[in-house]
Amino acid sequence: MKIFIIGAYPRSLINFRGQLISLLVGFGWHVTSLSSGANVEEIKSIKNLGSDYIDYKVKRNGLNPFNDINTLISFFCILKRNSPDVILAYTIKPIIWGGIAARLLKHNNFNALITGLGYAFQSGGFFKNILVFIVVNLYRIALKNAKSVIFQNHDNMNLFIDKGIVDKSKCYVVNGSGVDLKHFKLTSLTKEPNFLLIARLLGDKGIREYVKAAKLIKGKYPNALFELVGPEDPSIDGITIDRVNKWTDSGYIQYKGSSNDVRPFIKKCNIFVLPSYHEGMPRTVLEAMAMGRPILTTDVPGCRETVMNGENGWLVEKANFEQLAERMIWFIENQDQWKVMGQKSYSIANEKFDVHKVNAEILKIMGISNEKTF
């Protein structure tokens, strides 16, 4: 039996789907992973999981008819040539163009994992609303014959149902992508007020609010440290390295670049911050929880599922840097609560977000099971 796992980024196949790929290989499935632009080391890492690898053509950002038709043709040819028994696609372009290609080929076992709504679902001006209209209808076409559509929070699922994108009978919710509790281990806290944000350099990750809050706090608590880790992103909402370096030069934050291993940064911090505008289920928050960190994030779909307000952290209003700063100051002035909240985060991660439990649920939804997994 052959299964295709289709993602946008090679690194996400390794970091976010690696455990799932290994599990399927262990079941005896022939796994092929698909993404775009993998380098030699990334292909080697994917193959070390026991998976084959195929590269496909895609322009990840924006809707360009010529580029997207090429992506659709690429998927159509790959699927027709390889005839997988099962397909699991995640993120917007693999789901839309992979789903449409599967539908054209009358493939009856296409499964979509909605890991977040992304920038294309955020309301705005006239042209932004046209983009939302196009994306909604493309999703509707791609998911019409899907066997299952798996979400990471109920808000996203309900939005898809309410907009008529997908029938409720096909919809399921799982607890994010999960986190490997053996890889992200509980570590002790230090005594310094060290805040950390890990995210791609995008405006809707709340990075500007993080910087504004840091600027407010630095005047009163100059020893507070605000670190930022994450790669550039070429999308329309991207923040340039030049802008980030100016923030660093001003002394508001410390930008640490991008990293394939975020554990040293989480270990150094005492409070993990993600002021995002929207998420499916933020993987970086789950990793910080597994390492026993209090969480400060926004009261938006995906993020709110990770925090029991006042127990393992705090939720603040989206795009409200003043409220974000207030809660940061609360953490600075209530150091005795760091360990209590961090322990609660660790307990929640163990109970709800263990990657093995999440993957078992995904495979169960897809009709793939093995007695030893449950």
Side-chain angles (χ1 to χ4, degrees):
M1 297 289 285
K2 295 190 290 185
I3 184 167
F4 272 23
I5 309 291
I6 310 176
Y9 293 92
R11 185 55 53 183
S12 79
L13 287 168
I14 301 161
N15 293 340
F16 294 176
R17 308 290 158 230
Q19 294 278 354
L20 181 63
I21 291 168
S22 296
L23 186 60
L24 285 163
V25 170
F27 284 5
W29 282 74
H30 185 134
V31 182
T32 301
S33 302
L34 290 78
S35 73
S36 180
N39 60 38
V40 173
E41 285 302 313
E42 288 167 337
I43 293 172
K44 182 179 178 182
S45 296
I46 290 168
K47 289 187 173 181
N48 284 342
L49 296 170
S51 170
D52 289 337
Y53 178 77
I54 296 176
D55 213 78
Y56 65 86
K57 298 176 182 178
V58 69
K59 287 286 185 180
R60 295 189 182 97
N61 301 296
L63 285 174
N64 180 302
F66 300 103
N67 291 331
D68 290 336
I69 287 171
N70 281 334
T71 299
L72 175 60
I73 292 170
S74 180
F75 276 132
F76 183 90
C77 294
I78 291 168
L79 296 181
K80 186 176 183 180
R81 184 168 60 248
N82 291 274
S83 300
D85 299 287
V86 179
I87 301 169
L88 174 64
Y90 66 99
T91 67
I92 182 169
K93 293 213 172 182
I95 291 173
I96 287 176
W97 303 119
I100 293 174
R103 187 176 171 187
L104 290 172
L105 290 166
K106 302 189 185 309
H107 193 286
N108 61 3
N109 201 336
F110 178 82
N111 303 267
L113 176 59
I114 310 293
T115 56
L117 300 185
Y119 180 75
F121 266 86
Q122 304 306 303
S123 60
F126 176 73
F127 290 106
K128 189 67 192 299
N129 291 336
I130 290 176
L131 174 63
V132 172
F133 175 81
I134 293 170
V135 170
V136 164
N137 282 282
L138 286 173
Y139 263 126
R140 190 176 288 128
I141 295 167
L143 298 176
K144 183 174 176 59
N145 294 338
K147 181 180 178 183
S148 69
V149 183
I150 306 167
F151 296 85
Q152 296 189 334
N153 64 69
H154 284 88
D155 294 271
N156 290 357
M157 181 183 75
N158 291 336
L159 180 64
F160 268 56
I161 294 170
D162 292 343
K163 287 185 175 292
I165 297 173
V166 66
D167 189 82
K168 185 178 180 180
S169 63
K170 299 180 180 181
C171 296
Y172 304 85
V173 177
V174 298
N175 288 321
S177 298
V179 61
D180 186 349
L181 298 169
K182 292 182 179 178
H183 189 68
F184 292 90
K185 297 179 180 179
L186 181 67
T187 59
S188 59
L189 297 163
T190 62
K191 295 181 179 180
E192 298 301 319
N194 187 343
F195 298 87
L196 172 67
L197 167 57
I198 301 173
R200 285 175 293 139
L201 301 183
L202 291 168
D204 61 6
K205 293 295 182 181
I207 293 173
R208 293 184 179 91
E209 286 79 11
Y210 182 67
V211 175
K212 288 178 182 178
K215 183 180 179 181
L216 278 179
I217 294 167
K218 277 287 191 179
K220 186 176 181 180
Y221 297 99
N223 292 330
L225 184 63
F226 300 88
E227 294 192 329
L228 172 63
V229 174
E232 276 190 286
D233 194 288
S235 75
I236 193 171
D237 193 40
I239 298 172
T240 65
I241 287 291
D242 286 344
R243 169 55 58 189
V244 174
N245 286 337
K246 286 179 181 177
W247 289 332
T248 298
D249 293 342
S250 298
Y252 305 142
I253 63 166
Q254 292 186 13
Y255 176 57
K256 298 296 184 177
S258 180
S259 176
N260 291 328
D261 185 1
V262 297
R263 290 174 298 174
F265 300 101
I266 298 175
K267 184 177 180 180
K268 182 182 174 184
C269 87
N270 291 308
I271 300 96
F272 187 83
V273 185
L274 183 65
S276 182
Y277 292 11
H278 53 83
E279 295 287 335
M281 183 74 69
R283 176 66 176 265
T284 54
V285 171
L286 304 187
E287 292 166 350
M289 290 170 67
M291 293 182 70
R293 293 312 183 257
I295 305 300
L296 177 55
T297 188
T298 39
D299 189 10
V300 299
C303 293
R304 67 169 66 105
E305 281 77 8
T306 65
V307 170
M308 298 176 67
N309 218 21
E311 294 190 36
N312 73 308
W314 294 104
L315 296 171
V316 297
E317 186 180 85
K318 178 183 79 174
N320 189 331
F321 75 91
E322 291 176 330
Q323 196 175 112
L324 183 67
E326 287 173 6
R327 283 303 178 190
M328 287 176 168
I329 290 170
W330 183 92
F331 275 112
I332 294 171
E333 295 177 350
N334 290 273
Q335 185 175 338
D336 60 316
Q337 292 300 303
W338 295 358
K339 185 175 181 180
V340 176
M341 287 185 160
Q343 287 288 346
K344 185 64 177 179
S345 282
Y346 176 73
S347 297
I348 295 171
N350 274 267
E351 291 166 12
K352 293 179 62 178
F353 299 117
D354 183 339
V355 68
H356 301 293
K357 294 178 182 178
V358 172
N359 285 339
E361 186 64 23
I362 290 172
L363 296 186
K364 185 177 180 181
I365 290 166
M366 295 171 59
I368 301 171
S369 63
N370 183 304
E371 273 187 22
K372 66 183 180 182
T373 332
F374 301 99

